[in-house]
Amino acid sequence: MIFKLVGDGRPYPEHGLSSREWAQIPPRQVRLDTLVTTKAVLDLHSLLAKDSTFYGDLFPHVVQWKGELYLEDGLHRALRAALHQRSVLHARVLEVQD
């Protein structure tokens, strides 16, 4: 099992963080098997593209809400880590309150 659960959508409240605000959160290690995805489908062209991690943040974005870790952005990075037999990923984790 790669992820804890494959979800479809964001069950947590809107946080409204900009890319610049995400960049202020220091990355930390997160186990892949603790993540719940917010996308059920991934385009293989995105996963296999050589420059797929060139644009945007280097670290996936994870939202912690009600004790769960939701992978909001960076599904292709997480899958690449799993394909390389890694069980952890460096990600920016935002804690959202109710």
Side-chain angles (χ1 to χ4, degrees):
M1 174 186 263
I2 297 173
F3 300 112
K4 180 176 183 177
L5 182 68
V6 175
D8 192 17
R10 299 174 182 175
Y12 48 86
E14 180 61 40
H15 52 70
L17 253 63
S18 68
S19 297
R20 180 169 287 179
E21 290 168 318
W22 272 108
Q24 300 303 311
I25 299 172
R28 70 178 207 206
Q29 286 189 343
V30 177
R31 290 186 51 86
L32 292 175
D33 61 2
T34 65
L35 294 173
V36 177
T37 70
T38 58
K39 296 177 186 171
V41 177
L42 175 72
D43 178 18
L44 280 177
H45 291 290
S46 296
L47 177 64
L48 300 174
K50 290 181 181 180
D51 65 348
S52 69
T53 58
F54 184 74
Y55 299 101
D57 198 341
L58 293 176
F59 301 101
H61 297 170
V62 173
V63 174
Q64 183 174 354
W65 184 64
K66 292 188 175 182
E68 295 289 347
L69 295 172
Y70 295 94
L71 181 60
E72 179 175 275
D73 184 50
L75 180 58
H76 61 289
R77 287 181 176 90
L79 284 173
R80 279 187 173 191
L83 289 171
H84 285 99
Q85 305 296 314
R86 293 190 299 250
S87 60
V88 296
L89 179 71
H90 283 86
R92 301 184 193 279
V93 180
L94 172 69
E95 293 181 30
V96 173
Q97 305 299 320
D98 289 335

